[in-house]
Amino acid sequence: MQTVTVKDVIDGFREGAEENAERDACADELFQEAVRIGMELNTKYHTPGELREIMGRLTGKNMDDSFRLFPPFYTDFGKNITIGKDVFINSGCHFQDQGGIEIGDGALIGHNVVLATINHDLDPKENRKNHYAPIKIGAHVWIGSNVTVLPGVTIGDYAAVGAGAVVTKDVPAMTVVGGVPAKVLKMIQEGSEAKDESFSG
């Protein structure tokens, strides 16, 4: 019997992947592992080093010593998250990562941010079939509190997303976006004001 790997499970989330009972069973085990590790992460105090070790087990990747997290943190899979150096994730974030979440160096993620990589089919004949698409957050992106980023969105380097925004399409680098749905509010120039009243987190 062939051993199913984490990569096999992630490949199974891609559009057009054939059904595979053994792979699905492995996916279910990984979902439960994410729940167990999440409970460990969120129900007692951990030092910064301990948090990095736990996040390493959750994602299956080594976390850089510069990574910072304020719990609680929630994810339903974990193994399709990639986090760069000097990233900060504030408390209450939810990462739905089966479709893939990539966070670039120096990114700042505010309170209660939701990164969702799954949509469900609207056609009743498809019985709410899952559709997956990755989220890519560039280097030095700043995402304010209570932002939701939807499947398939790429946020360019040094972009900023205002608090409460719902990001439904790609965000160009060096822009400020906000609103529901998020729209470009202005371009960022070197020497821009140090703060913006539409942000928090």
Side-chain angles (χ1 to χ4, degrees):
M1 184 172 69
Q2 184 177 3
T3 302
V4 177
T5 67
V6 172
K7 182 182 183 303
D8 293 331
V9 173
I10 291 171
D11 287 344
F13 295 139
R14 299 210 167 99
E15 285 296 317
E18 295 182 5
E19 293 188 12
N20 181 303
E22 189 178 350
R23 186 189 62 220
D24 291 346
C26 183
D28 288 340
E29 290 178 12
L30 292 171
F31 295 146
Q32 293 307 306
E33 178 182 89
V35 171
R36 289 194 302 271
I37 296 174
M39 291 293 290
E40 177 186 352
L41 174 68
N42 294 328
T43 55
K44 61 178 278 190
Y45 171 77
H46 300 282
T47 67
E50 290 169 342
L51 287 173
R52 287 191 291 271
E53 187 275 330
I54 294 169
M55 284 295 289
R57 284 191 280 121
L58 183 60
T59 63
K61 304 171 183 74
N62 291 329
M63 305 301 297
D64 190 80
D65 287 347
S66 60
F67 172 73
R68 294 172 295 145
L69 168 73
F70 285 174
F73 173 82
Y74 305 96
T75 185
D76 47 8
F77 182 59
K79 296 298 189 287
N80 211 4
I81 299 172
T82 302
I83 298 174
K85 297 179 180 179
D86 199 28
V87 169
F88 172 65
I89 299 174
N90 218 326
S91 60
C93 290
H94 296 249
F95 287 12
Q96 182 193 55
D97 67 293
Q98 288 101 307
I101 293 172
E102 184 178 320
I103 300 176
D105 294 347
L108 304 173
I109 312 295
H111 292 94
N112 303 318
V113 167
V114 174
L115 304 181
T117 66
I118 303 175
N119 268 325
H120 298 290
D121 207 300
L122 293 175
D123 186 344
K125 290 185 288 188
E126 294 295 335
N127 195 29
R128 294 291 186 253
K129 176 183 176 182
N130 288 350
H131 296 281
Y132 306 91
I135 290 172
K136 296 183 179 179
I137 297 172
H140 305 283
V141 167
W142 176 19
I143 299 180
S145 297
N146 298 301
V147 167
T148 299
V149 181
L150 297 186
V153 167
T154 294
I155 301 178
D157 295 350
Y158 283 97
V161 184
V166 177
V167 186
T168 62
K169 60 184 180 180
D170 290 353
V171 174
M174 299 289 288
T175 61
V176 175
V177 301
V180 180
K183 297 178 181 173
V184 174
L185 303 177
K186 64 181 179 180
M187 301 297 295
I188 298 171
Q189 306 292 333
E190 286 197 29
S192 296
E193 293 181 7
K195 65 179 182 177
D196 189 307
E197 61 186 15
S198 65
F199 287 84
S200 177

